Amino acid sequence: MKLIGITNRKLCKCDFLHQLTEMAAGGVDGILLREKDLSAAAYETLVHQCLPICQAYHIPLILNTFWKTALAFQIPIQLPVPLLAQLPQEILAQLSFGVSVHHVKEAVLAERVGAQWLIAGHIYTTSCKEGVPPRGLAFLSEVCHAVSIPVFAIGGIQKSYLPELQQAGATGCCIMSQWMQTETPRKTLQDWKQSI
């Protein structure tokens, strides 16, 4: 099972780039640079800082939403469904992209237009979606069986949940809060890797 780290620099208790470096050293399978509050210019500056870290550890850096930056750097990107609907096919054809889905029909559509992976959620109760009921393992299983591309679970995931996520058909999972807030990211990641 693959482990993808989702960034939120505001949650870090230490230097953000140090946190990423330690996550990479701990064996994370990819880092999705979320950082939704940044302007396009500030986000691009952050990409310049994060990309060498990921390249040094041979792990993919996945961008979020800023598709022009993804084209400029020629690196993968995660797209929300509303943006997916706005982008012309000729742009999508130039991108290596995944899509964040919340319904099975979105998953099927995303695969049809060329998505190479999906992030499905939220699966468990999470403080990031306070008051919003989780979609659960049945939803995850339904998405996994509706498409032939990799599906990553997101939302409220704990290390002990990995076996049931795998059983539901997930290729991997995405973690934000725990890995951004831990003061020992390398050890935390190694613990997660060992539990797979």
Side-chain angles (χ1 to χ4, degrees):
M1 173 158 284
K2 291 185 180 292
L3 303 175
I4 307 297
I6 309 285
T7 74
N8 183 339
R9 69 196 189 289
K10 293 180 177 179
L11 294 178
C12 291
K13 296 175 181 176
C14 63
D15 177 74
F16 176 66
L17 295 179
H18 172 76
Q19 194 83 2
L20 258 60
T21 302
E22 287 295 288
M23 286 170 58
V28 73
D29 293 300
I31 291 175
L32 199 164
L33 193 63
R34 194 162 175 261
E35 309 310 325
K36 290 182 173 183
D37 63 308
L38 295 178
S39 66
Y43 188 85
E44 186 170 327
T45 297
L46 191 60
V47 173
H48 276 290
Q49 295 172 327
C50 297
L51 190 55
I53 295 170
C54 292
Q55 290 172 334
Y57 288 91
H58 307 289
I59 61 169
L61 178 67
I62 304 161
L63 303 192
N64 189 66
T65 304
F66 292 102
W67 60 270
K68 290 180 181 178
T69 307
L71 279 178
F73 282 87
Q74 287 295 292
I75 53 179
I77 186 166
Q78 185 72 21
L79 299 174
V81 167
L83 181 56
L84 180 71
Q86 294 171 21
L87 291 176
Q89 193 61 46
E90 56 264 31
I91 295 294
L92 291 176
Q94 297 175 60
L95 293 169
S96 170
F97 69 97
V99 177
S100 301
V101 299
H102 306 95
H103 303 281
V104 174
K105 64 181 181 181
E106 292 176 346
V108 173
L109 170 66
E111 182 178 37
R112 189 183 308 137
V113 298
Q116 293 170 301
W117 71 88
L118 303 173
I119 295 180
H122 61 289
I123 305 305
Y124 303 98
T125 301
T126 172
S127 58
C128 298
K129 302 280 186 183
E130 207 164 330
V132 182
R135 290 183 169 81
L137 287 170
F139 161 74
L140 177 62
S141 179
E142 199 176 348
V143 169
C144 292
H145 287 90
V147 298
S148 58
I149 56 179
V151 177
F152 294 84
I154 194 169
I157 295 167
Q158 305 289 331
K159 185 171 63 172
S160 59
Y161 300 165
L162 297 182
E164 62 191 30
L165 293 173
Q166 196 163 21
Q167 192 171 6
T171 299
C173 62
C174 303
I175 312 294
M176 183 176 70
S177 299
Q178 288 184 61
W179 294 355
M180 286 288 101
Q181 292 173 327
T182 179
E183 294 179 17
T184 55
R186 188 186 303 219
K187 182 181 183 307
T188 299
L189 261 294
Q190 289 171 344
D191 289 346
W192 278 65
K193 295 288 280 189
Q194 287 171 5
S195 72
I196 296 174

